Amino acid sequence: MSFIAGVLALTGCSLALLWVYASRKRLLQTGLASRAVRFQAARFLVAPLVFGLSIGVAALNARAAMLTWLLLVPINVTLHSRLAESVESEAPESG
């Protein structure tokens, strides 16, 4: 189980690095607010942090380690809603 968590943590890290690279090289959609970029980067970094935490917990209890993966749900829901709010608040008014 620690192997799977490690692979998922590394995958999340590579996705976060790719996002940071794309944002710094201005490869993202024009007009995307920097706040939205930061929220998305945070969302990408959550998985590696949670899976890294689960590797440490696995040394004590394997079931508890797998339960830590459930932390991804409320954290990602919260970050996604804030991302949506950020994008909506930055959108130009039409009408």
Side-chain angles (χ1 to χ4, degrees):
M1 182 190 57
S2 293
F3 176 76
I4 293 170
V7 168
L8 291 171
L10 289 174
T11 301
C13 285
S14 64
L15 182 59
L17 287 172
L18 182 62
W19 181 259
V20 169
Y21 175 81
S23 65
R24 291 199 176 159
K25 296 292 183 179
R26 301 180 194 269
L27 301 174
L28 302 177
Q29 179 180 351
T30 304
L32 192 59
S34 62
R35 185 174 177 200
V37 171
R38 286 193 308 271
F39 274 118
Q40 191 62 42
R43 284 187 68 208
F44 288 146
L45 288 172
V46 166
L49 293 173
V50 169
F51 287 118
L53 171 69
S54 76
I55 292 170
V57 173
L60 304 172
N61 185 319
R63 281 192 181 185
M66 289 192 329
L67 289 175
T68 61
W69 297 354
L70 294 175
L71 291 171
L72 290 170
V73 175
I75 294 170
N76 274 316
V77 166
T78 302
L79 288 173
H80 180 73
S81 66
R82 291 189 181 214
L83 174 64
E85 289 171 6
S86 174
V87 169
E88 288 174 3
S89 69
E90 298 290 329
E93 303 255 342
S94 60

